[in-house]
Amino acid sequence: MVVGEQKPLEEILEMIEPYDRLILAGCKGCVAVCAAGGEREVRFLASAIKTARKAQGREIEIREVTLERQCDPEYVEQIRPFVGQYQAILSLACGVGVQFMAEHYRQIPALPGLNTTFVGGAERQGVWVERCQCCGQCVLHLTGGICPITRCSKSLLNGPCGGSSNGRCEIDPEVPCGWQLILDRLKELGQLERYLEIIPPKDWSLSRDGGPRKVQREDLMR
Amino acid sequence: MRLECPPNVKVIRVPCSGRVESFHLLKAFESGVDGVFVAGCLEGECHFLIGNLQAKRRVNYVKGVLKAIGINPERLQMYNLSAAMGSRFAEICWEMTEKVKRLGPNPVKTGRGKEV
Ligand code: SF4
C-alpha cells in the first residue's frame, strides 16, 4: 500500500487559515489501511479543526466525505454536486488523490493533509515499513525476495558496501544491512550461487529518472 | 460508603478503559467540556490485559492534539484505580474539578484563542 502520515496539525491549521467552508476528503484505499486518511481519520481531524477554530472564535463548516478511492475519476467525481459550496478541499489521500482532486476541480484549491511517505506494508499493528521504491524493473527473483533498491541504503545491486557490520547498515545501527538480509535469505533458499551472478546496471529511465511514468493496457482501454 | 463527589462531574460508563477512543476524548472538548479524565484499572490488572495501557496511549496522543490546537492538555488526564477504591475516585473528582476551575472555561465556549 501507499503509506502516508498526517501532517502536523499546526501545519494543517495554517494551510486552511483563509477558509471557512471546507471539504475534508478521506480515501478508503491505502491511507485508510495505514490509519492516515480513512473515515476514522476524517472524523477525528474534522473534530480537531472545528475545536481549534471554535477556540479562536471563528467557526468553520466542514463537509466530511470519504471516497472509495481518490485515484479513480469515477469516485473523485462524486463530490461534484456540492463542491461549488466550498472554498477548498483538504484531502487525506496520498499525493495522487490530492492531484486528482486538483485536476478535477479547477476553481478551488486542493490541499494535502498527509505527507505521502512510501510504498510499504504493516510490520505489526501501528508500524509500517518501506518495501518498494517503484523502480519499474523488479529484481526480487534474483535477490531472495528482498529488495536491494529499498533495503540497501545505497541501492547497491551486487553485494554489500564496506560499511556493513554485524548485519547492520552503516547509516544507522537500527537498520539491518539489506545485503546481509539478501545473503542470509539466499543461503536459506540454497541459492547462494545467485550471489555470484552479476546484476547489470538497471535502466533508471524506467524509474523516477525518466519523467512521469505511464502504464497503458490497450485491451482495457475505451 | 457515602462519598461526596462534585456535582459537575459526569460519569460515562464503559466496559473497559480500552473502549475509549481518541475521538471520544476529542469530541468532548469540541462540545465544550472543560476537562476529562479517564479512570482505568490499575496497570497490570486489566481484565482484557492491555485496555488500560491502550487508554493511556490514547490519552497521551490526544494531549498532543489538544496542545497543537491551543487547548491546555492538562484538561485531560488518565488515572488508574481499582473498583474497590471509591474514596480515591471521589478524591480524583475533586482534584480534577479544582484543576479545571483554575484553568477556567474551555476556550471553545469563549472563543478567546489559544490557551497554550
Ligand atoms: S551497509 Fe548494507 S544496507 Fe547499508 S549501504 Fe552498505 S550494503 Fe547497503
Side-chain angles (χ1 to χ4, degrees), chain A residues 43-44 47-48 51 54-55 57, chain B residues 21 23 26 30 71 107 111-113:
Chain A
R43 204 171 57 150
F44 189 86
S47 174
T51 310
K54 273 188 201 168
Chain B
E21 290 175 30
F23 178 69
L26 182 61
E30 186 196 335
I71 292 177
R112 66 176 193 269

Side-chain angles (χ1 to χ4, degrees), chain A residues 105-174:
Chain A
Y105 304 108
R106 326 270 322 175
Q107 299 80 7
I108 57 172
L111 313 167
L114 304 188
N115 290 321
T116 307
T117 19
F118 51 74
V119 175
E123 192 175 60
R124 58 193 171 93
Q125 197 176 330
V127 181
W128 293 272
V129 287
E130 182 170 20
R131 283 291 183 268
C132 179
Q133 292 199 357
C134 307
C135 74
Q137 209 184 15
C138 194
V139 295
L140 286 168
H141 56 304
L142 304 174
T143 55
I146 291 159
C147 173
I149 309 301
T150 315
R151 306 296 299 274
C152 166
S153 310
K154 294 173 191 156
S155 299
L156 298 177
L157 282 174
N158 289 288
C161 72
S164 177
S165 93
N166 299 319
R168 301 277 132 184
C169 173
E170 66 178 348
I171 64 149
D172 182 343
E174 291 293 306

Side-chain angles (χ1 to χ4, degrees), chain B residues 28-44:
Chain B
F29 289 100
E30 186 196 335
S31 60
V33 165
D34 297 315
V36 177
F37 74 90
V38 177
C41 292
L42 295 168
E43 286 191 10

